[in-house]
Structures are given as C-alpha cells and as structure tokens.
C-alpha cells in the first residue's frame, strides 16, 4: 500500500505549527486506513526514562499520537512503542539497550509495530552509531531539539521502510500550542525554560539539551490559565535551573516575578518548581516563597558535594559555607519548608575528607530527603577526562554510609509530622489497596487514607495517624 498519497509536499504549510498540524491530519488518515486493514484500533506506548522534563516531552508526544487516532496502552506490546531516553548516568543508557532486545521479539510478531527512540541519549553521536549498526529494526530516531517536529517525522516514518533519523545539534526554536496528553487531569508540568548553560563538570545535560532558552512569560501564563480551565490545580514549573529564568528574554524578568504572576491565576491552588540551582537563588525568591499562599513548602536544592574544593572543580559556583548559609536563611525565614537535595558520591579526586564534608552538610541541613547518586563518567564532560577516578569499592563504601545517614535523618524528619493535620492533594487510588486513596502534602510527602475515587484532584484535610518511614497513614478530618 502506498501511503504517500496522504500527503502532498506542495501542500505543506510554512508556519511550523500549521505544518505540524498538517502532518497530524495526514498521519490520522494513514492510521485510520491501517486500523481498517488490521480490523482494530492501533495502540501506542510511550515510556519515559528520565526526569520531569523528559516526562513533559512524553506528554507532548502522546498528545500528538492521540490526535492521530492511536489509543494509549500501558503494555509495550503496542503498534507504536517509543522510548524517551535519558543519559544522565550510564545505567540509564544500559536499560534502554536491554529493553530494545525484547521489543524486537514483539515486533517480529506484529506487522504493524513501529519502534521509536527519542530523548537525551539520542543527542550522543556514539549512541546513534550503535543504533544504526546494531538495532536496525528501529523505525524512528529523533532528539531533544526537534520534538515539535514529531508529527512530521512520525508521518514520514509511517510511509518509509528504512530507519528515519533526525537529530539536531541545537535550536532556538520554541513552538507553542501543540497538543498535550496529560498523565494526570489535575496536575501538570510546565516548561518555563529549556536547556542549561551551567556546564557542571560531571554533567551531560548541557550537551544533550542545548543552551538555555526561556519561554515568554505570557505564553507560560496563558498555558497555565488554559490548564486551570481544564481542571488543573497544581503546576510544576520546569527548568534545569529555574533561578536563571528570564535573564535572556528581550524584556528580562526574574523567576520570582514569574512566580508572582503565576500566583495570581485564579483557580490554581499549588505551585511547585524544579530545579533551583543554589548559585542563583535570590533573596527576592525567598521573599516571594515566604509570602505566597500557593507555592508549596518544598525546595529542591541540589548540593552535589559538601566539599568546597570539589564544588569548585564541579563548576557549581558556591562553597560549602555559602550553601549552608543559604539553606539556613531559607529555614529561618520559612521554618516549615522541606529541603531536599541531590548528592554525587565518588566524583574524581574525592578524598575521605571531601566526603566527610558532604556528610557534615547532611548533618547540618537535615534534609527531608536526598537523592544520592554514584558518580557516572559521561563521555565529553570535563570530569570524564580526569585520571583520578575513584575505585569502585571506595565509592560503594561511601555511598552506603551516606545513604544510611540520609535515610535515618529523613525518617526522623518525617516522624515529626505524626499527629499533625495537613492538607493533601488527592492523586490516585492506592495501588495495593483500593479502599485507600493516595495524596501529597505541600512538602511532597505521600499520605494514604481511607477514601474514594471522587476525591481525586481535590485538596482535603487529613490527620496523620502514623509515619511509616517515607509515607504516612492518615484519615480525613
Ligand atoms: N539541573 C539540575 C540537575 C539535573 S540532573 C541541577 O543542577 O540541580 C539530576 C541530578 O543528577 C543532578 O543533580 C546530579 O546529582 C545527578 N547527576 C548529574 N550528572 C551525574 C553524573 N555524571 N553522575 C552521577 N550523577 C549525576
Ligand atoms: Fe547539569 Fe549542572 Fe545544568 Fe544541572 S545545572 S543540568 S547539574 S550542568
Ligand atoms: Fe536525563 Fe535528559 Fe533529564 S539526560 S535527567 S532526561 S534532561
């Protein structure tokens, strides 16, 4: 069957958004035809491997697939399976290759099946070579800079027998108003900026996500207003370093100012954001957080290391003392603010003394929770070139010591809330017991309580009966 008849090159509109809408329509016709042939609806499954930004990209892709007439399913035995990859640590990449083998076996049994790969890992030329050579059954490969072209690339892939690969090095284009399929009806991530300019010495993100670009505040507000009209009560503003938001806009605006605008949106109840780089966290932002009724009591403030020597080498632009001062300033001003963090163990050249500095910050700050990572060497980053990489057994020992301290502290912190009455946003039916509902406190902790489905998306008050380590059992009051 020649599906090319469904789109005519001469008819392709010029404006990017119209162009993509045109391809969505073309794909919808092809999908309808294929469904007819197969005598069933065609299905898709999009799997996200990375961070919230990656997840938001997946929602955009799902929105387009929905409009094309595909039906979403959770199972990878689907007619279109897309892996939205992450490459921040080596094990993220390994997972993808492991699972591709399984997809191949499914594809052999389903003549309609197409496999796509996108996301950060695809921005690495070596990975593309591997896919071209060893994973020839993949149909479509694209990167992080041309997601807005998904409709077009997918349509071309629908009518092509060979692998379609389209990777851009960078872009300054931001295409607004493409369809989005939200995972939750009542909460949503919103990109406020893309890319990163910080080049922390260990990190691959700036290489795979490109230079920092802020979205126009008007577009952000308009998007949130539309979401609120559609039932959203909580938004998570997303960027690799939200504190530098707006600096490069034609009419510069600070992140704190943006937050104040978002706060004004009627009907919106909760505002979260990710991630705050300590080097750019302003007093203005602390003021705005302290005076806000909507900004959640949760600040993710990645430490990475407690050693000033390592922090300098990591290109983080703050010292141990500056970090402590900042965290204390926030705690003093907003005592119920939960502070969470990311820590890397085993960065090249890390001595026992450096590690003890990290433990010292952990002791002093008493994080509500912390993500701890073993340093992973990322090709192309400055840290990867160093010859003082730390032996595995030393790293493992430090990692275990850190993790145990971090967990003990977060248990103690969580325990302190036992017996309190708190507001939670009800998110879903408990996955183990359907008489329970699961919700989140302002500080991001999880609470399970007896309730029913009708509460999903509403904010209710619960009494925290018991702390079970990382979560609470509660009851409605
Ligand atoms: N932009 C965010 C971080 C995004 S990546 C920030 O600066 O805070 C999320 C976390 O992954 C980082 O905070 C860091 O702790 C971890 N990470 C990044 N590169 C890593 C690497 N090469 N090895 C181990 N962990 C890494
Ligand atoms: Fe990576 Fe640093 Fe940018 Fe975060 S701020 S994404 S750790 S380079
Ligand atoms: Fe991973 Fe890319 Fe996010 S590398 S952490 S998915 S920005």
């Amino acid at each position: 069957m020649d599906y090319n008849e469904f789109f005519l090159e001469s008819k392709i509109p010029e404006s990017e958004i119209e162009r993509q809408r045109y391809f969505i329509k073309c794909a919808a016709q092809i999908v309808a035809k294929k469904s007819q042939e197969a005598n069933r609806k065609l299905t898709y499954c999009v799997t996200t491997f990375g961070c919230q930004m990656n997840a938001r990209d997946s929602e955009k892709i799902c929105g387009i697939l929905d409009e094309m007439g595909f039906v979403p399913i959770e199972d990878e035995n689907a007619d279109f399976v897309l892996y939205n990859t992450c490459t921040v640590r080596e094990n993220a990449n390994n997972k993808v290759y492991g699972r591709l083998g399984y997809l191949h076996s499914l594809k052999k049994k389903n003549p309609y099946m197409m496999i796509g790969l996108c996301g950060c890992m695809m921005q690495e030329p070596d990975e593309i070579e591997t896919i071209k050579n060893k994973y020839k059954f993949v149909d479509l490969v694209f990167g992080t800079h041309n997601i807005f072209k998904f409709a077009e690339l997918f349509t071309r892939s629908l009518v092509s027998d060979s692998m379609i690969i389209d990777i851009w090095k960078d872009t300054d284009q931001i295409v607004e108003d493409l369809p989005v399929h939200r995972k939750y009806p009542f909460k949503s991530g919103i990109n406020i900026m893309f890319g990163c300019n910080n080049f922390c010495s260990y990190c691959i993100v700036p290489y795979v996500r490109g230079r920092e670009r802020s979205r126009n505040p008007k577009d952000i507000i308009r998007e949130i207003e539309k979401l609120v009209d559609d039932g959203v009560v909580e938004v998570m503003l997303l960027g690799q370093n939200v504190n530098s938001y707006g600096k490069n806009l034609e009419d510069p605006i600070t992140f704190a100012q943006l937050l104040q605008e978002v706060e004004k949106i009627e009907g919106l109840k909760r505002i979260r954001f990710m991630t705050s780089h300590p080097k750019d966290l302003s007093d203005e932002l602390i003021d705005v957080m302290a005076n806000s009724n909507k900004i959640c009591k949760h600040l993710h403030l990645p430490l990475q290391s407690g050693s000033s020597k390592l922090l300098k080498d990591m290109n983080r632009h703050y010292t141990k003392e500056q970090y402590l001062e900042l965290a204390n300033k926030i705690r003093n001003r907003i005592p119920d603010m939960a502070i969470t963090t990311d820590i890397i163990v085993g960065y090249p050249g890390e001595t026992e003394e450096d590690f003890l500095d990290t433990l010292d910050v952990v002791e002093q700050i008493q994080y509500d929770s912390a993500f701890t990572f073993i340093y992973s060497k990322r090709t192309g980053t400055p840290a990867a070139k160093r010859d003082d990489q730390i032996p595995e057994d030393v790293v493992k020992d430090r990692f275990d010591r850190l993790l145990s301290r971090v967990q003990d502290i977060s248990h103690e912190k969580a325990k302190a809330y036992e017996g309190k009455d708190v507001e939670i946003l009800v998110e879903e039916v408990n996955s183990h017991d359907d008489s329970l509902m699961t919700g989140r406190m302002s500080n991001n902790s999880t609470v399970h309580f007896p309730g029913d489905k009708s509460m999903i998306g509403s904010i209710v008050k619960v009494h925290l009966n018991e702390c079970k380590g990382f979560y609470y059992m509660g009851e409605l009051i």
Side-chain angles (χ1 to χ4, degrees):
M1 172 98 198
D2 180 15
Y3 293 108
N4 273 307
E5 62 180 276
F6 289 106
F7 66 97
L8 296 170
E9 297 287 344
S10 61
K11 279 199 182 166
I12 299 174
E14 258 179 45
S15 103
E16 195 57 54
I17 179 79
E18 290 309 321
R19 185 183 172 96
Q20 296 312 314
R21 290 210 179 110
Y22 170 79
F23 276 105
I24 291 176
K25 280 197 200 121
C26 299
Q29 288 177 319
I30 301 172
V31 170
K33 193 89 197 149
K34 287 197 176 193
S35 294
Q36 217 175 24
E37 265 173 38
N39 204 16
R40 60 182 170 81
K41 291 257 184 206
L42 295 192
T43 56
Y44 75 85
C45 176
V46 173
T47 307
T48 304
F49 286 79
C51 61
Q52 280 95 341
M53 264 151 282
N54 212 228
R56 184 65 180 159
D57 289 342
S58 292
E59 291 188 343
K60 294 178 187 169
I61 291 163
C62 292
I64 292 169
L65 288 165
D66 288 346
E67 295 223 341
M68 289 174 174
F70 275 95
V71 179
I73 56 170
E74 299 284 320
D75 188 339
E76 289 186 347
N77 197 356
D79 298 303
F80 178 53
V81 177
L82 181 72
Y83 283 171
N84 190 3
T85 62
C86 171
T87 186
V88 76
R89 285 169 290 272
E90 178 80 42
N91 54 4
N93 296 36
N94 295 340
K95 257 195 257 168
V96 168
Y97 289 127
R99 278 166 69 166
L100 272 178
Y102 166 67
L103 284 193
H104 194 196
S105 67
L106 293 177
K107 190 173 177 180
K108 284 180 189 153
K109 290 182 215 141
N110 177 1
Y112 291 94
M113 187 168 178
M114 288 170 60
I115 298 173
L117 296 171
C118 66
C120 296
M121 197 175 140
M122 301 305 123
Q123 293 297 138
E124 293 183 275
D126 288 354
E127 305 295 352
I128 297 294
E129 280 310 302
T130 307
I131 293 158
K132 266 200 228 160
N133 297 328
K134 294 199 187 144
Y135 299 88
K136 295 194 165 77
F137 55 90
V138 170
D139 301 277
L140 171 64
V141 182
F142 58 100
T144 56
H145 301 303
N146 53 350
I147 285 188
F148 63 84
K149 277 208 143 16
F150 171 69
E152 175 170 352
L153 296 171
F154 183 72
T155 309
R156 293 195 187 279
S157 179
L158 270 171
V159 298
S160 159
D161 290 330
S162 49
M163 192 191 290
I164 296 217
I165 304 181
D166 192 20
I167 308 292
W168 297 7
K169 270 205 157 68
D170 213 336
T171 186
D172 52 12
Q173 232 171 317
I174 297 177
V175 180
E176 301 286 348
D177 295 326
L178 280 164
V180 181
H181 167 130
R182 293 197 310 279
K183 190 168 168 203
Y184 298 96
F186 52 87
K187 68 171 183 179
S188 180
I190 315 277
N191 299 104
I192 63 166
M193 57 207 297
F194 302 94
C196 180
N197 282 354
N198 290 308
F199 290 94
C200 300
S201 63
Y202 49 82
C203 183
I204 198 155
V205 171
Y207 304 87
V208 295
R209 285 270 169 183
R211 292 298 61 72
E212 192 177 288
R213 307 161 318 273
S214 293
R215 273 178 79 195
N216 194 319
K218 284 202 186 76
D219 290 329
I220 297 171
I221 300 294
R222 196 165 51 106
E223 183 179 353
I224 301 177
E225 283 171 345
K226 274 213 285 209
L227 287 169
V228 171
D229 280 345
D230 199 28
V232 165
V233 293
E234 178 179 301
V235 290
M236 163 86 88
L237 308 181
L238 299 171
Q240 292 299 350
N241 175 12
V242 291
N243 297 334
S244 69
Y245 169 78
K247 285 186 181 157
N248 301 322
L249 285 170
E250 226 164 83
D251 296 316
I253 153 172
T254 63
F255 178 55
Q257 287 167 334
L258 176 72
L259 278 174
Q260 284 170 297
E261 291 306 309
V262 176
E263 174 106 16
K264 287 184 200 150
I265 298 175
E266 239 174 272
L268 180 67
K269 304 213 170 106
R270 282 180 163 186
I271 305 167
R272 298 184 186 277
F273 51 86
M274 269 279 214
T275 297
S276 260
H277 194 306
K279 81 177 163 75
D280 298 315
L281 201 152
S282 65
D283 287 347
E284 186 198 12
L285 177 62
I286 300 177
D287 272 339
V288 169
M289 288 192 292
N291 295 324
S292 165
N293 294 318
K294 296 186 180 175
I295 299 174
C296 287
K297 303 290 182 203
H298 173 211
L299 183 68
H300 189 64
L301 195 62
L303 168 69
Q304 312 304 0
S305 166
S307 151
S308 296
K309 183 190 93 201
L310 288 196
L311 285 168
K312 186 161 198 305
D313 198 87
M314 287 175 165
N315 197 28
R316 292 289 290 178
H317 296 280
Y318 52 85
T319 61
K320 174 185 180 185
E321 290 69 30
Q322 283 166 334
Y323 184 96
L324 286 170
E325 197 188 309
L326 176 65
N328 287 327
K329 187 157 66 176
I330 296 162
R331 279 260 166 82
N332 289 336
R333 186 75 195 280
I334 317 168
D336 53 348
M337 180 69 83
I339 300 183
T340 60
T341 202
D342 292 344
I343 299 171
I344 297 174
V345 181
Y347 179 82
E350 184 187 71
T351 61
E352 178 64 16
E353 205 186 343
D354 293 322
F355 175 70
L356 291 177
D357 270 328
T358 299
L359 276 183
D360 184 41
V361 176
V362 166
E363 277 325 320
Q364 292 199 46
I365 302 292
Q366 300 273 303
Y367 290 108
D368 291 80
S369 79
F371 294 104
T372 50
F373 303 109
I374 286 182
Y375 167 74
S376 171
K377 196 168 155 179
R378 307 315 289 132
T379 311
T381 62
K385 294 189 193 83
R386 292 180 52 149
D387 51 17
D388 48 359
Q389 307 284 330
I390 310 295
E392 220 172 284
D393 56 332
V394 176
V395 180
K396 183 79 181 70
D397 171 65
R398 287 180 191 159
F399 182 81
D400 291 344
R401 280 149 68 202
L402 175 68
L403 187 64
S404 113
R405 228 13 234 142
V406 154
Q407 285 180 342
D408 287 350
I409 293 171
S410 56
H411 286 167
E412 278 166 37
K413 299 266 319 190
K415 194 93 183 152
Y417 279 86
E418 223 174 46
K420 293 207 167 143
D421 297 338
V422 296
E423 284 190 341
I424 60 169
L425 171 61
V426 186
E427 300 203 332
E428 56 206 356
V429 178
N430 184 299
S431 48
H432 301 292
D433 176 351
D434 62 12
S435 71
L436 296 177
M437 300 301 295
T438 300
R440 258 173 217 281
M441 290 161 52
S442 175
N443 73 7
N444 213 30
S445 302
T446 307
V447 184
H448 306 293
F449 68 101
D452 64 77
K453 263 195 195 156
S454 68
M455 297 170 175
I456 292 177
S458 57
I459 291 183
V460 299
K461 259 199 164 174
V462 293
H463 181 75
L464 300 176
N465 291 333
E466 195 188 354
C467 171
K468 296 264 198 186
F470 294 116
Y471 62 92
Y472 301 89
M473 299 308 295
E475 64 186 325
L476 281 173
I477 45 173

